[in-house]
Amino acid sequence: MVESQSLGQNGYLKCSNRLLIQWGTYNGATTGNTSIKLPLSFCDTTYSVIPVIMTEASEYATRSAMPYSKTESSFAVRRRYVTETASGDASSSVMWFAIGCWK
């Protein structure tokens, strides 16, 4: 049963059995590592988070978003790109999905 919800671009679904599902988009202009704040805090850091880099269809680069640190209320992501001739930190938008339990 749904306890509460926010169905916006950065939202969550909080269930009465303590299941918490969250999602969002980070559009920050920084390059490389960034911290993303969650809409609600999880009960601990055992939640799972899946970040995905947004890219342009005409772009010939491989981009990745790798989570490397988590707290109950945020997670950090390293954004990188690779082309045939270069690699480095990326500034692409990140869509993310997280699932765990709430306090």
Side-chain angles (χ1 to χ4, degrees):
M1 180 174 290
V2 174
E3 177 127 338
S4 64
Q5 63 187 7
S6 174
L7 302 178
Q9 181 178 12
N10 295 306
Y12 65 88
L13 179 68
K14 185 176 174 183
C15 299
S16 58
N17 65 355
R18 297 188 61 229
L19 176 68
L20 178 58
I21 301 168
Q22 302 189 72
W23 59 88
T25 301
Y26 174 80
N27 293 313
T30 61
T31 299
N33 300 351
T34 192
S35 182
I36 297 175
K37 185 166 175 32
L38 297 162
L40 296 177
S41 292
F42 284 104
C43 65
D44 55 32
T45 59
T46 62
Y47 64 90
S48 294
V49 62
I50 303 166
V52 178
I53 284 270
M54 299 295 293
T55 189
E56 299 296 323
S58 61
E59 186 175 47
Y60 294 100
T62 300
R63 296 184 178 269
S64 64
M66 301 161 283
Y68 67 89
S69 177
K70 296 187 292 186
T71 70
E72 289 88 356
S73 60
S74 67
F75 63 94
V77 175
R78 181 172 175 100
R79 296 170 293 163
R80 300 280 295 164
Y81 75 91
V82 176
T83 67
E84 289 183 23
T85 58
S87 66
D89 290 335
S91 59
S92 304
S93 297
V94 176
M95 294 177 67
W96 57 270
F97 178 84
I99 187 167
C101 64
W102 54 273
K103 294 182 180 184

